[in-house]
Amino acid sequence: MDTPDSLINLLLPSVIDLADALLLLATSFCTALITATLGVGGGVLLLAVIASVLPPLAIIPVHGLVQAAANTNRAIFTRRHLNRTVFSQFLLGALVGAALASVLVVQLPTDTILLCVAGFILFLTWGPKLQIRAIRPWPLRIASALTTLLSMFVGASGPLVAAFVHQLSEERFERVATFSACMSVQHGLKLLVFGGLGFAFSEWLALVAGMVLTGVAGTWVGLNLLQKISNQRFSQVFRIILTLMALKLLFDAGSNLLQ
């Protein structure tokens, strides 16, 4: 008869222990709650924790697998509020970005990516607001392609996508629904790219399944909290979070350049 320890060893990848697995399960719950309630932030926090636990080659694929499930779950919960026009254009651009990522062999310096992402987030968050009727399909497709391409290298492109979605609607549930649907596509395509490159997802499935379940619970709690927040308060908190993330990226890039 298998002992509890042997079952745990069978289910978990050899590179992590039970304490690390429990940390990831708890983090998945908390980050899903954060994203469901505040619209953004959970994916970046989850990536930071995953990066502190998993080996480098597994960080982005495993993060993508968990986030694909989490965003799909949140998109299903909020499907009535989805902006289908934005989503369809995002899908077209994401397919192009994933195709480019599968053949691209040159990676931009990390600091350059951080500076560009931070600057773009700050511009979209605090710059002049775009008129929704003035937004055309091609800018949406280009933004989708670029953020999808970027996500293959830095893992969490959520703040960039969220900053763009922020420009398209004032209604909090529409923002969460559209952002979640777009990110589920982006992470799903990421899985196809990494799978094509030979990453072995099978040994991580049990751990990821557990993280998905705790993420579902976090999403349910977060969406119930979202119902109690006004659109105005949601927008205020949303902008503050995006700004703090952008400043953190600028700090990280600056620190690296000064070393």
Side-chain angles (χ1 to χ4, degrees):
M1 179 180 293
D2 291 332
T3 64
D5 287 343
S6 63
L7 288 175
I8 291 172
N9 292 333
L10 181 64
L11 292 174
L12 294 180
S14 58
V15 293
I16 66 172
D17 56 23
L18 180 58
D20 291 335
L22 293 175
L23 172 64
L24 292 174
L25 292 174
T27 303
S28 180
F29 173 86
C30 294
T31 54
L33 187 154
I34 290 170
T35 304
T37 306
L38 303 179
V40 69
V44 175
L45 177 57
L46 180 62
L47 180 64
V49 176
I50 286 177
S52 69
V53 174
L54 302 189
L57 291 178
I59 292 171
I60 294 180
V62 171
H63 176 265
L65 188 55
V66 175
Q67 287 296 92
N71 281 283
T72 299
N73 172 63
R74 193 163 50 250
I76 291 172
F77 280 170
T78 59
R79 61 188 180 278
R80 293 187 298 110
H81 305 277
L82 175 65
N83 186 322
R84 288 177 170 78
T85 300
V86 172
F87 176 70
S88 62
Q89 299 304 322
F90 188 94
L91 175 60
L92 292 174
L95 291 171
V96 174
L100 289 174
S102 66
V103 298
L104 193 64
V105 294
V106 178
Q107 182 175 345
L108 291 175
T110 301
D111 297 333
T112 300
I113 293 175
L114 294 180
L115 290 172
C116 291
V117 171
F120 196 52
I121 289 173
L122 290 174
F123 173 77
L124 288 176
T125 303
W126 297 102
K129 185 170 178 59
L130 302 174
Q131 296 297 319
I132 293 179
R133 69 181 60 182
I135 298 175
R136 303 301 183 199
W138 277 108
L140 282 172
R141 295 171 190 169
I142 293 172
S144 170
L146 291 177
T147 56
T148 300
L149 179 62
L150 182 67
S151 73
M152 305 292 174
F153 303 116
V154 300
S157 60
L160 194 54
V161 176
F164 197 80
V165 171
H166 168 75
Q167 294 276 334
L168 305 179
S169 174
E170 296 292 341
E171 207 286 312
R172 64 194 187 283
F173 275 97
E174 184 175 335
R175 287 185 189 175
V176 171
T178 305
F179 170 75
S180 299
C182 291
M183 292 306 297
S184 65
V185 166
Q186 199 167 81
H187 286 297
L189 291 172
K190 184 191 303 183
L191 299 182
L192 291 177
V193 171
F194 278 100
L197 294 175
F199 182 80
F201 285 102
S202 57
E203 64 178 301
W204 298 93
L205 289 182
L207 174 63
V208 169
M211 294 177 69
V212 169
L213 290 176
T214 57
V216 169
T219 294
W220 183 83
V221 174
L223 289 177
N224 278 278
L225 292 175
L226 181 61
Q227 295 180 14
K228 302 176 182 179
I229 303 175
S230 67
N231 285 335
Q232 182 179 7
R233 177 57 59 86
F234 179 88
S235 295
Q236 292 171 345
V237 175
F238 189 85
R239 295 176 77 179
I240 291 171
I241 291 175
L242 283 176
T243 301
L244 290 175
M245 288 183 174
L247 293 176
K248 176 64 164 57
L249 293 176
L250 290 174
F251 176 80
D252 290 342
S255 298
N256 292 336
L257 291 172
L258 291 175
Q259 289 179 357

